[in-house]
Amino acid sequence: MAHKTVDVLLVEDSAADIDLVREAMEGGKLLINLNVVRDGEEAMDYLRRQGKFKNALRPDLILLDLNLPKKDGREVLREVKADTELSLIPVVILTTSSADEDILHSYQLHANAYIAKPVDFESFIKIVNQLTDFWLSLVVLPKK
Amino acid sequence: MIDQIPAPNFEKIFETAMGLQLILLPDSPRFTIVAVSEPYLKAVQKNRDQMLGKSLLEVFPKTKDADELIISLNQAIKTQMPATFSLQILFAKQPGTEAPEFKADFWNLTNTPVLDGSGQILNLVHRIELADPQALALVEAKELLEARVNKRTQDLLRSNTELEQFAYIASHDLQTPLRHISSYVQLLTNKIRKTNTLDDKSEKWIKYILSGTVQMKNLISDLLSYSRIGRVDIKVEEINTVEMISRIKDELKDSIHKTKATIFFDQLPMVFGIKSQIEQLFLNLIDNAIKFRATGVDPIVTIKVEDLEAFWRFSVSDNGIGVDSKYFERIFLMFHRLHSQDEYLGTGIGLAICKKIVEFHDGKISVNSDGNSGTVFSFSLPKKETVTAKNSSQAEI
């Protein structure tokens, strides 16, 4: 059964990049509730519903940048996929780098998908829409 | 008249004029010392009483050379011929003595059997001589050279790694603000367009801004590719050239279709090298061949190969606009372009990357053209046998 709104957790430290994701999601088909955390430690607190995130909603999808302050994206990915509960949430790496090592390493840590952010914004809009359509509308996710 | 010639004092001669020597009994494995020359005493810092009657092994430094010494002495006994071997000996100068200082040098030890009339061995003469100084100098020079080469190699490896790290970080950190500039210009443009205040000039200027960001993005990617070519830890393997060209044709299928290009190739041999680099090499050359086509002429790209014993010589030729001979060398330089960005898109690194790849594989690349009706790029790549032979001979050194 499809949810009316979907919850997406964006882990991203740059305000400019956060706004780009918001703009790209605007006008999309789905009603997305976008929650943002600015570093790896906050990401884990949010997912574990600790500290100031006691009432956080479990996200349907995590968009994760690799280069984050404090705990970096690779650490977050490792911890999420090592946790029996959290590993069920699809994690899409959304990052600047298109380096082979980063791509390989991410998949080795069991990222569900890897996307290198394009320089062209029109392309980015397409990517974000395809991404959310795929993971939040097309595929079937395990029940929360 | 022999009676009148005074007999030489052989004992004195032995003790003083014959260099570092010992006379031993052939009582293996003890080898009792029965005579010692002065120079030998000086060298080992002992006096005669400390040596006469003792076993040679008591005097000789207790290293693995001692085993070789025994072998040599026994060999001299067995073959009744002199036996020689070399080793490094350090004779140290004792503080406050007159003894000469000996460096750690190569010495030749010769054990010569002295026989009586009936073929029995009376004694062994154990002589120590400095090895040929020229041979010595050669060995030292070789060791010094090898040490220098090793250090140079380490420096280069480190420098290459640093360059790659630098390029990765630089490109990564450059791409983020670049993305922001490009994306927000587009967002702003969309916003302003809605107010219908964008005239033609503004639209053109916006295009310039955005193509500037695309150009930067391509430059950064190319620089990153270029910096990666120096890596030494990448797998070297046999590459199916024909399969690779098919993949390249697939990658370029849009531009091939648009320009109605045809790519011909001979039966191409397997090559030995780094797969991703060789593919980049052919890709760049074929892409160039299509890109620099003459107006109104469908591009034809021909790939041929020549067998040069230790190398394969490939040529990629086209029927495009050609290259003026005065630019034959310059076009392989980084960022050197012969045409403006408006005429032909590109960063100017493509051929520099090709050159670096070919040279990294120990080959050579060159270009030929009449400046008018087409261009031929030729480059050599070593055969597998050549590479593996070189690697194994290097391993021996």
Side-chain angles (χ1 to χ4, degrees):
Chain A
M1 204 181 89
H3 291 259
K4 236 185 145 190
T5 55
V6 282
D7 297 297
V8 175
L9 176 67
L10 172 63
V11 190
E12 170 62 69
D13 71 317
S14 145
D17 276 315
I18 293 170
D19 281 357
L20 284 176
V21 172
R22 274 199 220 280
E23 291 295 324
M25 281 181 175
E26 209 146 286
K29 287 181 285 179
L30 295 165
L31 223 57
I32 297 175
N33 184 15
L34 186 67
N35 294 289
V36 184
V37 287
R38 308 290 291 264
D39 63 56
E41 271 180 21
E42 277 200 356
M44 292 320 296
D45 284 344
Y46 184 98
L47 291 168
R48 293 196 174 115
R49 300 179 216 187
Q50 289 167 345
K52 63 182 176 183
F53 299 113
K54 267 201 276 281
N55 300 313
L57 287 167
R58 186 184 181 283
D60 298 295
L61 174 67
I62 301 173
L63 300 177
L64 178 62
D65 187 13
L66 284 181
N67 300 303
L68 301 165
K70 300 197 187 146
K71 196 174 278 187
D72 94 343
R74 296 160 188 88
E75 250 324 290
V76 172
L77 178 58
R78 189 179 284 126
E79 285 184 36
V80 166
K81 290 302 175 181
D83 182 303
T84 17
E85 284 287 325
L86 299 175
S87 63
L88 298 176
I89 310 173
V91 178
V92 174
I93 304 295
L94 192 60
T95 196
T96 308
S97 164
S98 52
D100 289 335
E101 314 86 78
D102 287 327
I103 300 173
L104 182 65
H105 196 215
S106 302
Y107 280 109
Q108 281 172 336
L109 292 174
H110 308 296
N112 294 76
Y114 188 106
I115 293 187
K117 297 186 222 182
V119 162
D120 171 48
F121 185 65
E122 296 296 318
S123 308
F124 188 60
I125 298 178
K126 276 206 192 84
I127 288 172
V128 169
N129 288 328
Q130 283 176 319
L131 192 56
T132 48
D133 284 349
F134 182 81
W135 285 106
L136 302 167
S137 174
L138 187 70
V139 307
V140 182
L141 295 174
K143 291 202 168 31
K144 284 205 203 194
Chain B
M1 290 191 291
I2 296 174
D3 292 339
Q4 286 167 15
I5 300 172
N9 185 334
F10 289 106
E11 205 178 308
K12 209 67 192 171
I13 291 169
F14 168 77
E15 283 179 0
T16 59
M18 307 282 293
L20 284 76
Q21 306 220 51
L22 298 174
I23 300 186
L24 312 167
L25 292 177
D27 55 341
S28 175
R30 193 171 190 270
F31 297 108
T32 313
I33 300 170
V34 295
V36 197
S37 73
E38 287 294 328
Y40 193 103
L41 288 173
K42 279 210 177 73
V44 298
Q45 309 275 326
K46 286 187 159 57
N47 58 44
R48 203 163 266 112
D49 299 331
Q50 291 174 297
M51 292 198 57
L52 289 179
K54 298 259 188 337
S55 159
L56 175 63
L57 293 172
E58 282 177 59
V59 180
F60 202 84
K62 288 169 181 50
T63 63
K64 68 168 169 60
D65 293 322
D67 296 330
E68 262 216 75
L69 177 59
I70 300 289
I71 291 170
S72 174
L73 287 162
N74 285 329
Q75 191 188 340
I77 292 172
K78 183 168 153 201
T79 60
Q80 298 196 338
M81 297 285 285
T84 309
F85 72 103
S86 343
L87 72 160
Q88 267 190 320
I89 308 180
L90 171 65
F91 294 111
K93 177 177 180 171
Q94 285 227 335
T97 63
E98 289 294 323
E101 207 174 286
F102 291 91
K103 273 172 62 253
D105 274 325
F106 279 101
W107 296 81
N108 288 330
L109 268 72
T110 310
N111 298 306
T112 310
V114 176
L115 307 161
D116 70 8
S118 61
Q120 293 293 350
I121 297 183
L122 292 168
N123 296 105
L124 288 160
V125 180
H126 175 82
R127 187 171 73 246
I128 305 179
E129 280 169 327
L130 252 182
D132 169 24
Q134 274 182 333
L136 207 64
L138 206 62
V139 168
E140 265 183 41
K142 176 175 176 268
E143 283 176 2
L144 189 64
L145 192 64
E146 262 185 59
R148 281 216 190 114
V149 167
N150 279 338
K151 176 162 188 307
R152 202 60 76 70
T153 309
Q154 290 308 312
D155 288 346
L156 258 171
L157 277 172
R158 190 178 48 241
S159 163
N160 255 336
T161 312
E162 281 175 7
L163 177 68
E164 230 194 291
Q165 283 170 348
F166 174 81
Y168 174 83
I169 293 168
S171 78
H172 193 272
D173 291 353
L174 283 168
Q175 285 188 74
T176 301
L178 184 62
R179 226 172 4 87
H180 293 167
I181 292 170
S182 168
S183 305
Y184 283 104
V185 163
Q186 287 174 65
L187 274 167
L188 264 173
T189 309
N190 291 342
K191 217 178 208 207
I192 300 172
R193 265 206 198 108
K194 289 196 184 113
T195 68
N196 283 319
T197 52
L198 272 181
D199 62 358
D200 285 344
K201 256 201 182 151
S202 306
E203 289 277 0
K204 192 166 65 162
W205 294 345
I206 290 166
K207 260 215 192 79
Y208 289 153
I209 295 174
L210 291 175
S211 71
T213 61
V214 170
Q215 177 71 350
M216 266 188 81
K217 166 81 167 75
N218 292 336
L219 269 165
I220 291 171
S221 291
D222 281 352
L223 275 171
L224 200 59
S225 295
Y226 187 85
S227 78
R228 280 159 175 249
I229 296 169
R231 259 191 178 172
V232 286
D233 57 346
I234 294 189
K235 193 170 86 171
V236 174
E237 56 189 309
E238 256 195 314
I239 303 161
N240 187 323
T241 321
V242 171
E243 256 178 36
M244 184 186 67
I245 307 261
S246 306
R247 267 201 306 277
I248 292 173
K249 278 171 78 170
D250 194 62
E251 201 175 320
L252 297 175
K253 66 175 185 280
D254 287 341
S255 90
I256 290 175
H257 180 78
K258 200 177 76 169
T259 62
K260 299 213 232 331
T262 19
I263 303 177
F264 293 111
F265 47 102
D266 271 356
Q267 189 56 16
L268 298 172
M270 305 273 271
V271 291
F272 200 67
I274 297 168
K275 206 172 191 189
S276 59
Q277 290 186 12
I278 302 293
E279 196 159 325
Q280 175 93 61
L281 168 64
F282 276 94
L283 175 68
N284 283 6
L285 291 175
I286 296 171
D287 190 38
N288 272 1
I290 296 173
K291 186 160 65 174
F292 293 99
R293 60 188 177 280
T295 350
V297 181
D298 293 344
I300 299 174
V301 185
T302 316
I303 305 171
K304 285 199 164 90
V305 70
E306 212 184 309
D307 189 335
L308 291 183
E309 302 264 326
F311 285 84
W312 294 112
R313 182 126 164 268
F314 290 90
S315 64
V316 178
S317 36
D318 63 61
N319 59 345
I321 57 173
V323 176
D324 195 312
S325 61
K326 61 177 181 274
Y327 301 125
F328 280 359
E329 303 212 347
R330 269 191 262 175
I331 55 174
F332 290 107
L333 296 173
M334 250 209 286
F335 297 123
H336 204 90
R337 311 192 74 238
L338 299 180
H339 307 277
S340 74
Q341 200 64 232
D342 298 332
E343 294 174 288
Y344 298 96
L345 272 178
T347 58
I349 301 191
L351 285 176
I353 290 178
C354 289
K355 180 166 188 271
K356 199 172 185 205
I357 291 173
V358 169
E359 288 175 1
F360 190 64
H361 284 80
D362 285 339
K364 285 200 175 53
I365 188 169
S366 61
V367 64
N368 212 342
S369 171
D370 63 359
N372 210 341
S373 56
T375 317
V376 183
F377 281 93
S378 312
F379 58 94
S380 49
L381 292 174
K383 292 190 186 174
K384 178 178 185 175
E385 302 74 43
T386 320
V387 176
T388 44
K390 182 186 93 163
N391 286 343
S392 60
S393 73
Q394 275 182 347
E396 273 161 26
I397 294 172

